Every structure is written in structure tokens, then in C-alpha cells.
Amino acid sequence: MTIRNNKDFGESVRLERLKRNMRQVDIARKASVRQALISELENGATSARLDTVLKVLAALDMDLSIVPRRKAEFDPTEY
Amino acid sequence: MTIRNNKDFGESVRLERLKRNMRQVDIARKASVRQALISELENGATSARLDTVLKVLAALDMDLSIVPRRKAEFDPTEY
DNA sequence: CAACATTATACGATTTATCGTATAAAATCA
DNA sequence: TGATTTTATACGATAAATCGTATAATGTTG
């Protein structure tokens, strides 16, 4: 899943959290942040710090990786 | 390249920048930040905001992606 | 070595993320 | 529907990122 802005990140967090049947407060506790922050991040309301991004991803058992840029995938909602 | 902390990010930025024969100031201009900030980030001196991370990676033609966590690779420097 | 180029550091000012806490709003369920 | 759970929002306080600018330190090259 490629992340190009805060909204992408928020959507990914929400998606992965729901896949795991977790509540915001569960992620928050694992990542040692507030439930309110998870809400804000999922809604793309703020640009998290890298360490916060990493804590949240760790709570989801996910990693961040940097990769050569690829063209954007075809997005049917654009048509 | 997996990023698990600020230092990993900084090292990756420096590595990719040098691969491209670019100076810190070149990345800084492309990303609309200060040369001093690139230096700080490469040295892991600060936890950049996600939007800053994305601007810098864009200047390197790279993307951020989130992936399922894998066990750490074998690291011979630990032995 | 001497000039030049690049990177690192400093410092005060400003902006922003995050906190703690509380509550409103929305969703779920019995 | 009513109770309960979950998520969103508010607000002031604190900590931290980023800025502009300047300069020190280091590296490179002739």
C-alpha cells in the first residue's frame, strides 16, 4: 500500500485496524498514544511525526518501507 | 528498504541522495525545505513529520509503502 | 597549501503535533 | 427504543519540528 499523503496513511491505518477487529483505543494503548490521536490520524486531520507513524504501524504489525516511485495505479473513481 | 526508526530513515535518504549524485541543497530545494533540515534528518537528529518525509522522498523519486511486518533480516554487525 | 564546495551546528521565532481530559456524536446491540 | 460502546471533537498546555539566517566545520580539488 503506497502512501502519498496524510489521508492515504489514515485510510490505511483504519483499514488494517478493522481487518484485525481492533478499536481505536486498542491501537492507542499498544502504541502509547491517545485514542483521540488515532481518530485524528485516521481522518487525516494531522501530519503525524515519523516516530508516531512507526508506533502505530508497529501496533498493527506492519512496517514502513521506501521504494522506487511507480506510476499511480489506475483509479476508476477518476472516471 | 524497511524503516523502523529515525536513523533508518536518515540513512536511506543519504544513501539514495548519493546514488543520484545530489547535494543536500538540491534535495532541499526540490522538497521546499532548508538544507539544514536535510542534514538533521540524514543524521537522525529529529523525527520528521509525515508530510516532510513525503516531500523528501518525492525529491528522490521514491514512495513510502506499508507492508506486513517481517522478521528482522540477519545483521552480521550484531555478531 | 589555498580556494572552494558541502555539510553540520547554532539560536530565537513560529508553527504544529501531542498531551490530558472531558464530552458530544454516532454506531451497535439487547 | 434505550443502554452501551465506539469514535469524533474541544480546549488549553506542553513539547517538538521547522523556519530564516548565519557561521563553523569538514571535505574536495587545483
Side-chain angles (χ1 to χ4, degrees), chain B residues 13-14 16-31 33-36 38-39 42 56 59-60:
Chain B
V13 168
R14 176 160 287 161
E16 297 296 332
R17 173 174 67 79
L18 294 177
K19 275 187 192 171
R20 293 162 178 71
N21 291 323
M22 296 177 81
R23 299 165 300 165
Q24 290 181 345
V25 71
D26 298 320
I27 302 297
R29 290 197 187 108
K30 276 190 87 170
V33 298
R34 295 169 310 141
Q35 170 266 323
I38 302 299
S39 170
E42 288 189 356
V56 170
L60 291 166

Side-chain angles (χ1 to χ4, degrees), chain A residues 34 37 46-49 52:
Chain A
R34 295 170 311 141
L37 178 58
T46 191
S47 189
R49 286 160 31 186
T52 303

Side-chain angles (χ1 to χ4, degrees), chain A residues 57-74:
Chain A
L57 291 182
L60 291 165
D61 283 299
M62 305 214 74
D63 271 330
L64 202 59
S65 83
I66 68 178
V67 296
R69 194 165 257 230
R70 294 203 174 286
K71 296 196 192 310
E73 302 291 330
F74 174 74

Side-chain angles (χ1 to χ4, degrees), chain B residues 41-67:
Chain B
L41 295 183
E42 288 189 356
N43 289 311
T46 189
S47 189
R49 286 161 30 187
L50 180 57
D51 55 5
T52 303
V53 168
L54 293 171
K55 285 191 295 185
V56 170
L57 290 182
L60 291 166
D61 284 299
M62 305 213 73
D63 271 329
L64 203 59
S65 85
I66 67 177
V67 297

